[in-house]
Amino acid sequence: MSSGQESVFSEYETDTSQTLKLLRKFKETPFVPIGMAGFATVVGYGLYKLKHRGDMKMSLHLIHMRVAAQGFVVGAITCGVLYSMFREYVVKPKE
């Protein structure tokens, strides 16, 4: 093994805590937890409004809820890709 590979493996071995690994991933890709939280919020709000939907059919209400949740997740993924492209190509780190 080369010394570069050993340093990568030792970095992962020192972060044995799942919480530390999760926090490190959230720092690397901040839009993933935003998308997950938005999805959960849309689903929670949709389930709350399910009780007060009036005369709207349940299938139509569920389709609207699904589209809203998917739209939020796709929007978060798009923002994450644009953010990473901005960091990589516009604000280049000094090498």
Side-chain angles (χ1 to χ4, degrees), residues 1 14 16 22 29 44 49 55 64 72 77-78 84 88 91:
M1 279 190 187
T14 58
T16 56
L22 188 64
T29 56
K49 292 300 279 185
D55 60 347
H64 287 173
F72 197 93
I77 290 171
T78 303
S84 67
E88 187 174 331
V91 185

Side-chain angles (χ1 to χ4, degrees), residues 1-17 20-21 24:
M1 279 190 187
S2 69
S3 63
Q5 288 179 344
E6 290 175 1
S7 65
V8 171
F9 290 137
S10 65
E11 176 186 338
Y12 284 110
E13 289 173 0
T14 58
D15 279 346
T16 56
S17 171
L20 290 175
K21 287 181 182 179
R24 183 172 39 88

